[in-house]
Amino acid sequence: MIGELYEEALRGRAPVEIEHADGRRRPLPVHDWLAVRPGDGGLLRRCAGATLDVGSGPGRLTVALARRGLPVLGIDLAPSAVALTVAAGGPALCRDVFGRVPGAGRWRTALLADGNIGIGGDPAALLRRVLALLEVGPPGTASRVEPLRLRSDRSVGEWFPWAHVSADAVAALAAACAATVTESWEDADRWFVTLRSRDERP
């Protein structure tokens, strides 16, 4: 049901909301994923070499990197998201980051934008899978895992875990994953962090 509602939102068929366990709801921000956002430029400039865009959605960052001539691949679980990326000129595949990913071990940069550090609800497991350029929460916000679900007027999805990581918490998280923070910055009220594996040469 998560995928069905996500795809429904991507196709513009119905408004879809994110529901929190306490009953709060907010719109699924599909419009933010369709075109380059303020703050994307600095993130894109820091992508070095072959880049894997994890949870690429409709592919705004994948397409932008392809237009810059960088080798890039977007991966997303939603066929509609992948189709939108390909239609816009970006290479993308339906893949789970925890499954088989083409070129595993050869991507120089992994990109986790739009809060995708939350994928799977276990940031350490995700970072061990791919060390990355991350978009995180502002300093002073709480790092946490919470249950979320998607809902529309016609259907309600299953609960799934989603992680939120504050910029303050990234150094400890990186250390637990044998990595270090090499840069952090704020742009357009968005917070970003670059991590590097301790085994990786600068």
Side-chain angles (χ1 to χ4, degrees):
M1 184 60 72
I2 295 170
E4 292 171 17
L5 285 164
Y6 175 44
E7 295 215 27
E8 199 171 284
L10 287 172
R11 293 181 187 132
R13 293 186 176 167
V16 173
E17 295 178 311
I18 300 169
E19 183 177 5
H20 298 258
D22 62 7
R24 287 178 297 121
R25 296 181 192 177
R26 58 188 167 93
L28 187 67
V30 175
H31 61 281
D32 286 346
W33 305 332
L34 293 172
V36 173
R37 300 173 57 193
D40 283 353
L43 192 62
L44 293 167
R45 283 192 300 275
R46 288 167 172 86
C47 290
T51 299
L52 182 68
D53 186 2
V54 179
S56 54
R60 78 179 193 281
L61 299 174
T62 302
V63 171
L65 288 169
R67 288 178 179 160
R68 291 173 183 224
L70 276 182
V72 60
L73 177 66
I75 59 171
D76 201 283
L77 291 175
S80 293
V82 169
L84 286 167
T85 303
V86 172
L93 295 171
C94 271
R95 291 291 188 276
D96 181 342
V97 67
F98 293 106
R100 292 185 63 187
V101 176
R106 295 194 297 274
W107 298 104
R108 186 165 173 201
T109 302
L111 186 57
L112 291 166
D114 301 322
N116 282 346
I117 184 65
I119 290 173
D122 186 343
L126 182 57
L127 290 182
R128 287 186 186 103
R129 181 75 172 133
V130 291
L131 282 171
L133 280 166
L134 317 175
E135 184 172 350
V136 295
T141 57
S143 294
R144 66 197 186 284
V145 176
E146 67 169 327
L148 299 175
R149 66 181 175 184
L150 301 183
R151 65 183 304 138
S152 70
D153 291 339
R154 295 191 298 255
S155 57
V156 179
E158 299 292 323
W159 293 102
F160 58 91
W162 193 263
H164 302 270
V165 178
S166 164
D168 297 328
V170 173
L173 177 61
C177 300
T180 57
V181 175
T182 59
E183 185 180 11
S184 63
W185 72 99
E186 182 268 337
D187 189 357
D189 294 323
R190 298 166 66 194
W191 286 84
F192 305 92
V193 177
T194 304
L195 301 186
R196 184 187 300 275
S197 168
R198 289 177 186 155
D199 296 330
E200 183 183 348
R201 294 179 182 175

